[in-house]
C-alpha cells in the first residue's frame, strides 16, 4: 500500500515487479542499471538475516515527478523484505543549501571591505578561519596559510602580548 500511496500508481497498474520497474524507471538504460545493481546485491545475500547495503535511486511517480528513494532490505526464510525511505525532501534541502552557500561565497568574495569568515569556539585558538576574501588579502597581505585562526591574526595585528592579555580587544 505504501508504494501506491507514495508513487500514485494503483495496484492494477503494478501487478508485478516488471510492471513496477517499467513505471518507476521509464528510461530502459537506467532501468537496467538499477535492476542489475539492486537485484545483484539481493542475489549476494547468503543467509537469513543478511542485510542489503542501502542504495539510492531516482524513481518516477505516476504524476511524472521524481523521488529520491533509499532502498535496503534483508533476507527472510522464504522472501526478501525490501524497505525504502523517501529522501526527496532531504535532497531538495541539500540542493538549496548548496545554492545558498554558493551565494554566500560569491557575496563574501566580492565584498569591497576586508572580511574573514570565522568558526567561533571558546578560546581564540579554536576560532578557526574558514576563509578570507580578496580585499582582506590585498589590504593586509596575509594568505590563508599564514592565518589559520583568529589568534594567528591577533598576534600579527596586535603584536604586544600585554595588550592582548589585558583583554582590550573584547571590550566595547
Amino acid at each position: 500500500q505504501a508504494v501506491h500511496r507514495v508513487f500514485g500508481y494503483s495496484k492494477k497498474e503494478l501487478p508485478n515487479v516488471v510492471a513496477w520497474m517499467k513505471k518507476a524507471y521509464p528510461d530502459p538504460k537506467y532501468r537496467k542499471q538499477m535492476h542489475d545493481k539492486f537485484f545483484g546485491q539481493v542475489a549476494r545475500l547468503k543467509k537469513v538475516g543478511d542485510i542489503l547495503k542501502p542504495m539510492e535511486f531516482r524513481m518516477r511517480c505516476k504524476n511524472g515527478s521524481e523521488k529520491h528513494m533509499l532502498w535496503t532490505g534483508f533476507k527472510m526464510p522464504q522472501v526478501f523484505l525490501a524497505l525504502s525511505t523517501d529522501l526527496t525532501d532531504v535532497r531538495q534541502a541539500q540542493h538549496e543549501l548548496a545554492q545558498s552557500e554558493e551565494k554566500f561565497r560569491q557575496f563574501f568574495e566580492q565584498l569591497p571591505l576586508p572580511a574573514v569568515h570565522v568558526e567561533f569556539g571558546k578560546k581564540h585558538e579554536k576560532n578557526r578561519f574558514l576563509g578570507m576574501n580578496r580585499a582582506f588579502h590585498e589590504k593586509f597581505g596575509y594568505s590563508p596559510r599564514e592565518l589559520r585562526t583568529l589568534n594567528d591574526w591577533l598576534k600579527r595585528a596586535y603584536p604586544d602580548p600585554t595588550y592582548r592579555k589585558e583583554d582590550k580587544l573584547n571590550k566595547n
Side-chain angles (χ1 to χ4, degrees), residues 9-171:
Y9 297 106
S10 69
K11 289 182 183 183
K12 285 183 181 180
E13 292 173 295
L14 303 176
N16 55 43
V17 173
V18 173
W20 164 243
M21 295 290 287
K22 285 183 179 180
K23 301 277 188 190
Y25 309 109
D27 175 18
K29 186 177 178 180
Y30 187 67
R31 182 184 323 130
K32 179 167 178 18
Q33 288 174 345
M34 297 308 99
H35 176 277
D36 293 351
K37 184 176 179 181
F38 185 81
F39 289 104
Q41 290 291 329
V42 171
R44 289 184 187 90
L45 300 178
K46 302 294 183 202
K47 60 185 185 296
V48 171
D50 281 354
I51 298 173
L52 184 70
K53 181 179 96 179
M55 295 177 272
E56 187 174 335
F57 302 119
R58 290 183 333 273
M59 304 178 82
R60 179 78 46 91
C61 298
K62 184 175 182 175
N63 68 6
S65 66
E66 277 193 351
K67 293 207 178 271
H68 291 264
M69 301 297 293
L70 183 68
W71 287 91
T72 187
F74 57 94
K75 188 171 182 163
M76 295 178 65
Q78 301 296 319
V79 295
F80 173 79
L81 179 63
L83 306 165
S84 67
T85 301
D86 185 353
L87 297 178
T88 306
D89 291 342
V90 172
R91 294 296 175 253
Q92 180 62 32
Q94 288 173 331
H95 175 73
E96 290 170 7
L97 178 61
Q99 286 181 319
S100 176
E101 288 173 342
E102 181 56 30
K103 284 180 186 176
F104 171 79
R105 274 190 286 281
Q106 289 176 5
F107 168 79
F108 179 77
E109 186 56 37
Q110 293 173 7
L111 281 172
L113 300 173
V116 292
H117 184 193
V118 180
E119 175 185 55
F120 284 104
K122 293 182 180 179
K123 295 181 180 177
H124 287 305
E125 288 78 25
K126 296 189 181 204
N127 295 339
R128 184 170 63 100
F129 273 20
L130 300 176
M132 64 177 63
N133 70 358
R134 184 179 15 191
F136 185 92
H137 175 69
E138 290 170 0
K139 175 80 174 176
F140 300 108
Y142 295 112
S143 71
R145 285 185 175 178
E146 294 172 286
L147 301 177
R148 295 181 188 265
T149 67
L150 184 58
N151 196 43
D152 293 339
W153 166 245
L154 292 175
K155 285 178 182 177
R156 286 172 174 82
Y158 305 98
D160 179 2
T162 307
Y163 186 84
R164 285 195 312 271
K165 283 185 181 179
E166 289 176 4
D167 202 28
K168 292 182 180 182
L169 303 174
N170 295 321
K171 293 183 179 176

